[in-house]
Amino acid sequence: MKHGKKYRSVSALIEPGRQYSIEDAVSLLKKCDRKFDQTVEVHMNLGVDPKYSDQAVRGTVVLPHGTGRDVRVLVFAKGELEAQAKEAGADYVGAEELGEKIQGGWLDFDAIVATPDMMPLVGRLARVLGPRGLMPSPKNGTVTATPAAVIKELKAGKISYRIDKGANVHAPVGKLSFDSAKLADNVMAFIDSVRRAKPATAKGVYIKSLVITATMAPGIPLDMSLTR
């Protein structure tokens, strides 16, 4: 892949072997400014084996300053809980009619919340939602009898993460327009959550690498002392 001039110029500024503070890394990323507000992401490689279920790492965290994007929340609910979901700010609320739209290819939303009684309906959508990371689950709190509270968390910046086959976890932690202090708060909230999610069976070094990047910017290694 051939990268643009700004990407290459920032890559040339990254000192080999150096681990950067969040503030210094963000300062470099901002040199890759574009005509849109890029998403800032953190990527971590963990010392676990994803092949074993007891070493799977997953969790949720509410970022102190949000993600910087408007999260479109769809809720499967009926009756009183449907009314509560609408009042809490859900963008789409319903049941069978929403399931039919999704089966037809409609995916104009970012997160799904479902009440427990709606799961037989939602389960039929697993082949569509699962590969896109949109399937609601009790483990990440998106299958709940109190959808209003979850909707407010998602709107406020709650994110989910899950280890991939390469033992990596990734998360959006804000926008490049955020100041360094807000991004630092969000990065630390994510790191602390992953740290707390360490499996009891994990041995040796748990967090092996820590990198921050933006949509159209190179990855910059962060100071590993942040993980301790």
Side-chain angles (χ1 to χ4, degrees), residues 90-224:
D91 298 274
Y92 310 102
V93 187
E96 286 79 5
E97 70 281 8
L98 290 179
E100 291 175 3
K101 287 183 67 175
I102 292 170
Q103 289 281 26
W106 176 72
L107 293 166
D108 292 337
F109 48 85
D110 305 299
I112 296 180
V113 178
T115 57
D117 59 305
M118 290 285 100
M119 286 311 292
L121 167 62
V122 179
R124 297 198 291 271
L125 305 173
R127 293 180 66 180
V128 177
L129 301 176
R132 295 170 173 82
L134 291 169
M135 191 68 183
S137 163
K139 290 185 178 180
N140 63 21
T142 49
V143 176
T144 175
T146 55
V150 178
I151 293 163
K152 291 176 181 177
E153 287 182 339
L154 290 169
K155 291 285 187 178
K158 182 178 182 179
I159 60 169
S160 301
Y161 58 87
R162 183 175 185 174
I163 196 168
D164 64 18
K165 293 180 180 179
N168 305 299
V169 290
H170 321 272
V173 292
K175 293 291 186 177
L176 201 52
S177 60
F178 284 20
D179 62 44
S180 295
K182 289 184 177 180
L183 282 171
D185 287 345
N186 283 357
V187 169
M188 290 310 304
F190 173 58
I191 291 174
D192 288 343
S193 180
V194 174
R195 191 162 45 195
R196 290 193 300 271
K198 180 181 179 179
T201 54
K203 306 297 181 183
V205 177
Y206 176 51
I207 299 177
K208 299 173 69 175
S209 68
L210 176 64
V211 174
I212 191 170
T213 186
T215 307
M216 298 183 70
I220 301 175
L222 289 179
D223 186 348
M224 290 299 293

Side-chain angles (χ1 to χ4, degrees), residues 44-85:
M44 302 167 69
N45 180 254
L46 305 182
V48 298
D49 191 338
K51 292 186 297 184
Y52 299 100
S53 60
D54 62 355
Q55 292 197 34
V57 176
R58 64 186 299 170
T60 62
V61 58
V62 178
L63 299 177
H65 305 287
T67 61
R69 62 192 293 251
D70 182 22
V71 179
R72 299 165 298 174
V73 181
L74 181 150
V75 180
F76 282 101
K78 287 184 176 181
E80 178 61 28
L81 291 180
E82 178 180 0
Q84 291 178 15

